[in-house]
Amino acid sequence: MTVRAILRIGDPRLREIAEPVEFFDTSELHELIEDMFDTMEAADGAGLAATQIGEMKRIMIFGADENPRYPDAEEVPMTVLINPEFSVISDEVLGFWEGCLSVPGMRGYVERSARIRYRGFDQFGLLIEREAEGFHAIVFQHEYDHLDGILYPDRISDRTLFGYSEELEAGGAI
Ligand code: NI
């Protein structure tokens, strides 16, 4: 049970490509995932990648019932996903004001695929396969990017749609 420090943008470790997990259901893996949940919950996040706490492994967690950071977002099942893969199943894109625990205090408008199919394994090595849309699809793709060293500001196509949450709120953008 440890709340770990979250790396912030500028830290070169956030730009590394994470390595696949080889062994499942180990005490080391269970401890890491517990730390990830403690860290995500302490920060009120909707998702966290292992790379954000300096562990270069292809592990993400995400989920949201009601998240104060994203009051309009729909519910997403609490998920552990290891060695994830995904494919896009529709040309439709969805724009969302994203935030990231590694880019604190800021939001940016990013468009991503609206419907995807993803697969991966849980911490016990059990296969998870799902179709996702809406906020669920967005969160997955955001966390997946972290595993390849990509942060959401890299995905903003209109640079004017990026800034501090307080200013964006005051200006009525979010
Ligand atoms: Ni993030």
Side-chain angles (χ1 to χ4, degrees), residues 52 100-101 142-143 146:
Q52 289 180 276
C100 179
L101 298 175
H142 177 115
E143 299 311 326
H146 275 297

Side-chain angles (χ1 to χ4, degrees), residues 42 55 64 72 87 99 121 130 139 163:
E55 303 279 351
D72 300 328
S87 54
F121 300 90
R130 287 187 191 138
V139 169

Side-chain angles (χ1 to χ4, degrees), residues 35 50 56 68 82 85 115-116 144 146 150 155 167-168:
D35 284 0
M56 298 303 136
I82 298 172
E85 295 169 11
R115 287 169 53 83
I116 60 169
Y144 184 93
H146 275 297
I150 298 166
R155 300 277 191 201
E167 274 68 13
L168 292 165

Side-chain angles (χ1 to χ4, degrees), residues 14-29:
L14 287 172
R15 297 309 192 167
E16 286 180 27
I17 295 177
E19 296 287 334
V21 170
E22 284 184 67
F23 303 106
F24 293 86
D25 200 16
T26 64
S27 53
E28 194 188 17
L29 182 60

Side-chain angles (χ1 to χ4, degrees), residues 158-171:
D158 181 345
R159 300 282 171 170
T160 67
L161 303 179
F162 181 51
Y164 288 99
S165 308
E166 287 174 8
E167 274 68 13
L168 292 165
E169 269 167 37

Side-chain angles (χ1 to χ4, degrees), residues 114-130:
R115 287 169 53 83
I116 60 169
R117 181 177 293 123
Y118 68 73
R119 70 199 297 269
F121 300 90
D122 73 6
Q123 60 271 52
F124 301 97
L126 292 172
L127 180 68
I128 296 167
E129 271 183 301
R130 287 187 191 138

Side-chain angles (χ1 to χ4, degrees), residues 76-115:
V76 179
M78 204 51 79
T79 303
V80 173
L81 212 56
I82 298 172
N83 300 345
E85 295 169 11
F86 77 104
S87 54
V88 170
I89 53 177
S90 152
D91 291 338
E92 199 189 327
V93 295
L94 178 62
F96 194 83
W97 281 95
E98 296 191 17
C100 179
L101 298 175
S102 294
V103 191
M106 303 193 81
R107 289 292 176 90
Y109 190 79
V110 177
E111 289 183 329
R112 299 185 188 267
S113 297
R115 287 169 53 83

